[in-house]
Amino acid sequence: MSSFVPTVSDPSDFAHCSEPRLVEFDSLLRCHICKEYQTAPVLTTCGHSYCSVCIRKYLIHTAKCPICSKEIREANLQRNVLLEQVVICFKTLRDDLLEKLTVESKVDDRQRRGSCEVIEIDDNVEVDDELEIVSETKKRRNVGQGGLESLFKRKKTPPKVGPLGTCPICAKQFPIRVLESEHIDLCLNTPLLEQDKDSIVPKESEHSYQKLTKLDFSSLSNTTLKQKLAKLELPTNGNRNQLESRYNEYLILWNANCDSIVPKDPKVLRRQLAQWESSLKFRKDDHDRQLDKKGWSDLIKQARNSKMKTREEQDDAQVESIDIMSTNEEDDSNLITSAQPQNCSIQASTQESTDHERVFAD
Amino acid sequence: MSSLPKRIIKETERLVSDPVPGITAVPSEENLRYFNVTIEGPDQSPYEGGIFKLELYLPDDYPMVAPKVRFLTKIYHPNIDKLGRICLDVLKNNWSPALQIRTILLSIQALLAAPNPNDPLANDVAEAWLQHETQAIETAREWTKKYAVLE
């Protein structure tokens, strides 16, 4: 398992820092379909938000909101600009935040252990001597746990050489004193568009990407369809089915990309499309192979065997008239059982399928 | 298996590192979309004391479509047939991609605690359940002892 863990971030990353309530905040920014941070989020008419790609793909299956099951339509999805900005902002801050909160929780623990009864102002603890809450009671400290508060609540008159802090708006470093007294106000009052170009939150750029429309394939000749694909710089090889699903997949990728405030270059989308198509091919090959080698031949063998067995049993039954019905029934169920794992989980190992048979043969 | 969606990786990770009480789900080494599942029979149900094996498979379209789940251990239950197939709304029409493996397994555990003979899959069992409930519960208990209790 451990080999692929590092690439995946999860709300639970915050569970062991000094502000475990960030677990909830982190998960709020994620899409309920892919569990990743929302990419180009869109709002449904019922007020829920998903990645544009995810909800568009799901609506092909079912025209319902995954959270509240209300009927929704793709045409009514609206981009959710603020959420996208919040997500981008949080993603940028995440690693730093996590690191700081983890370090501080260690310092905090050490201090708490050292002074159980009375909280004293300890000048040796670097991080905490900045805190307003240091002079307050133990109860207050335990509630706040020093985490977020230690990040944001600084003394109004800090020491002469103040440590640097990062402005939450423009992400630049300033001495805390400057940050608190003047910079944040200044930063907040500067309109978004006039801000520095290395602002943490991307501006809502004017892009020229127009949404694509769904095609009525029934009224479209092969040549016209190929022309349409070529115009989008997409491959035009493959059979009619492939052409149509290629267009449909690209339509989703493209339209979802239009919902983003930082749309990707069409080249990136075409690469994604190619990846999707090769994964489809991979899956198909896999299925075919499995069914050819294992599935079909096994199924046929089993069917033949059990037919033979039934016949033999029927012959036997003429001699001793035991309960034929129940034997037949059992045979049928054996057949169905041995077919079932192939349907349900094509790649179940042989050992497992013998397990199934044993279980159901009882 | 070159491209396992991150969502599946994440769910697997959490199932292993922070398992639901009374439920285990371990992915097969050959196919990370196939899980070996066990569910403990809920307390105060006829399945108490039993450990039921299930198989769970995530189709290619997951999470757009529901996982496929089936009991491998024989069980006497009005909503589970003799092939182990489960009649549960969230596995069919009420599936939503906002649900996950964890929630599905919890629903199945809840189904063991509250059999619903009015929406049967195993007709004979459901009939028995409706007509002679005490007897049916006793049979369920016997089956649990016979098939789901490991020595």
Side-chain angles (χ1 to χ4, degrees):
Chain A
M1 263 336 64
S2 56
S3 62
F4 49 59
V5 173
T7 55
V8 182
S9 79
D10 192 79
S12 61
D13 296 345
F14 286 101
H16 302 294
C17 79
S18 58
E19 189 41 274
R21 285 173 293 183
L22 280 172
V23 170
E24 196 179 356
F25 182 72
D26 184 282
S27 53
L28 286 176
L29 300 181
R30 290 172 186 265
C31 167
H32 276 276
I33 299 176
C34 67
K35 310 287 178 198
E36 290 297 299
Y37 288 118
Q38 300 204 10
T39 309
V42 287
L43 261 180
T44 61
T45 35
C46 47
H48 296 110
S49 195
Y50 307 92
C51 298
S52 188
V53 167
C54 294
I55 192 65
R56 283 170 197 276
K57 284 190 178 170
Y58 181 61
L59 291 180
I60 297 173
H61 286 267
T62 315
K64 275 185 195 167
C65 173
I67 294 176
C68 69
S69 302
K70 285 215 176 84
E71 226 170 86
I72 53 173
R73 291 179 56 214
E74 194 188 342
N76 296 333
L77 297 174
Q78 291 289 334
R79 51 204 295 241
N80 195 345
V81 174
L82 177 61
L83 181 62
E84 186 168 18
Q85 287 169 328
V86 172
V87 167
I88 293 172
C89 186
F90 185 70
K91 269 163 85 178
T92 322
L93 293 176
R94 193 181 196 269
D95 285 351
D96 281 352
L97 195 59
L98 203 51
E99 200 188 314
K100 278 181 189 155
L101 293 178
T102 313
V103 170
E104 290 197 7
S105 77
K106 277 179 198 153
V107 175
D108 214 44
D109 276 354
R110 213 191 316 139
Q111 209 201 13
R112 213 177 299 148
R113 250 181 282 125
S115 51
C116 301
E117 295 301 317
V118 190
I119 299 286
E120 288 166 31
I121 299 168
D122 184 355
D123 288 328
N124 296 326
V125 181
E126 282 175 36
V127 183
D128 280 346
D129 67 359
E130 293 294 313
L131 291 175
E132 217 179 359
I133 55 168
V134 159
S135 57
E136 291 187 35
T137 60
K138 181 183 152 202
K139 193 181 159 205
R140 171 70 193 278
R141 285 188 53 88
N142 284 343
V143 171
Q145 305 233 325
L148 267 188
E149 283 169 89
S150 66
L151 265 186
F152 300 121
K153 267 205 172 177
R154 303 285 174 178
K155 265 189 188 173
K156 281 194 179 118
T157 47
K160 301 133 221 164
V161 193
L164 290 182
T166 310
C167 168
I169 298 133
C170 71
K172 280 184 181 166
Q173 299 248 315
F174 293 97
I176 297 286
R177 194 165 21 125
V178 179
L179 200 61
E180 276 233 315
S181 55
E182 38 196 310
H183 175 76
I184 290 189
D185 281 341
L186 195 77
C187 221
L188 278 174
N189 290 327
T190 319
L192 206 58
L193 291 173
E194 284 171 34
Q195 268 174 35
D196 228 329
K197 57 173 179 280
D198 53 23
S199 151
I200 199 168
V201 180
K203 289 164 218 149
E204 204 186 330
S205 61
E206 286 287 319
H207 60 74
S208 54
Y209 300 129
Q210 294 289 316
K211 288 211 168 136
L212 294 174
T213 46
K214 278 186 184 150
L215 291 180
D216 176 16
F217 292 117
S218 61
S219 65
L220 225 58
S221 72
N222 256 0
T223 343
T224 341
L225 179 54
K226 281 185 181 178
Q227 275 166 2
K228 295 230 178 231
L229 289 168
K231 212 175 149 198
L232 295 165
E233 298 178 61
L234 299 178
T236 52
N237 60 330
N239 61 31
R240 176 76 187 194
N241 248 343
Q242 285 167 312
L243 295 178
E244 288 182 8
S245 47
R246 184 178 298 146
Y247 183 88
N248 282 338
E249 178 74 12
Y250 194 66
L251 176 89
I252 291 175
L253 294 177
W254 179 277
N255 287 354
N257 194 44
C258 292
D259 287 325
S260 176
I261 53 171
V262 277
K264 296 175 194 126
D265 191 276
K267 262 186 228 156
V268 180
L269 299 185
R270 288 197 290 271
R271 212 176 306 136
Q272 284 177 351
L273 181 75
Q275 271 167 7
W276 170 82
E277 217 160 316
S278 70
S279 82
L280 268 194
K281 200 162 166 264
F282 181 84
R283 279 185 206 166
K284 198 171 170 294
D285 290 351
D286 214 42
H287 277 221
D288 288 352
R289 204 180 58 232
Q290 295 278 351
L291 273 182
D292 278 350
K293 278 195 185 155
K294 202 169 141 254
W296 290 121
S297 60
D298 278 7
L299 266 182
I300 293 165
K301 211 189 287 168
Q302 276 161 9
R304 277 192 188 137
N305 280 346
S306 80
K307 200 175 171 190
M308 294 264 285
K309 214 169 123 199
T310 320
R311 243 181 236 160
E312 279 166 20
E313 272 161 11
Q314 273 168 353
D315 293 345
D316 287 349
Q318 288 176 340
V319 187
E320 6 164 352
S321 54
I322 315 171
D323 197 354
I324 296 174
M325 284 307 287
S326 75
T327 334
N328 274 340
E329 209 176 60
E330 207 171 80
D331 270 340
D332 285 347
S333 80
N334 265 343
L335 232 186
I336 302 166
T337 320
S338 46
Q340 182 72 11
Q342 318 286 345
N343 279 337
C344 184
S345 50
I346 287 175
Q347 289 154 34
S349 68
T350 9
Q351 216 242 303
E352 271 147 6
S353 42
T354 45
D355 271 350
H356 303 157
E357 279 161 34
R358 189 170 42 76
V359 169
F360 288 109
D362 288 337
Chain B
M1 285 306 108
S2 58
S3 60
L4 197 68
K6 276 193 187 167
R7 160 160 176 163
I8 297 182
I9 296 173
K10 215 180 279 191
E11 281 198 55
T12 309
E13 224 266 310
R14 183 138 178 256
L15 282 169
V16 175
S17 68
D18 175 23
V20 191
I23 296 176
T24 66
V26 183
S28 140
E29 293 203 352
E30 292 149 44
N31 182 355
L32 294 171
R33 288 176 176 270
Y34 182 89
F35 290 76
N36 291 299
V37 176
T38 65
I39 296 183
E40 284 174 21
D43 290 353
Q44 276 140 31
S45 78
Y47 311 101
E48 184 175 358
I51 295 177
F52 297 87
K53 285 189 193 166
L54 294 91
E55 62 176 2
L56 181 146
Y57 183 69
L58 303 174
D60 288 335
D61 284 341
Y62 179 82
M64 302 308 172
V65 299
K68 293 188 187 300
V69 198
R70 191 171 75 96
F71 271 83
L72 298 175
T73 306
K74 230 168 129 86
I75 181 166
Y76 192 78
H77 190 290
N79 310 102
I80 300 164
D81 73 2
K82 65 179 184 177
L83 299 180
R85 293 175 302 191
I86 307 162
C87 177
L88 187 62
D89 60 344
V90 286
L91 286 174
K92 305 203 171 79
N93 296 337
N94 284 352
W95 166 254
S96 143
L99 298 170
Q100 46 180 318
I101 302 176
R102 177 179 283 267
T103 46
I104 287 296
L105 295 180
L106 276 169
S107 304
I108 294 173
Q109 201 181 34
L111 187 69
L112 294 187
N116 176 11
N118 294 316
D119 181 22
L121 187 62
N123 280 318
D124 49 337
V125 180
E127 225 161 87
W129 215 278
L130 286 171
Q131 284 168 7
H132 314 282
E133 196 180 341
T134 336
Q135 179 58 42
I137 289 173
E138 196 42 50
T139 313
R141 224 173 249 133
E142 276 165 28
W143 281 38
T144 305
K145 221 175 271 170
K146 198 168 166 196
Y147 303 110
V149 178
L150 305 168
E151 294 89 62

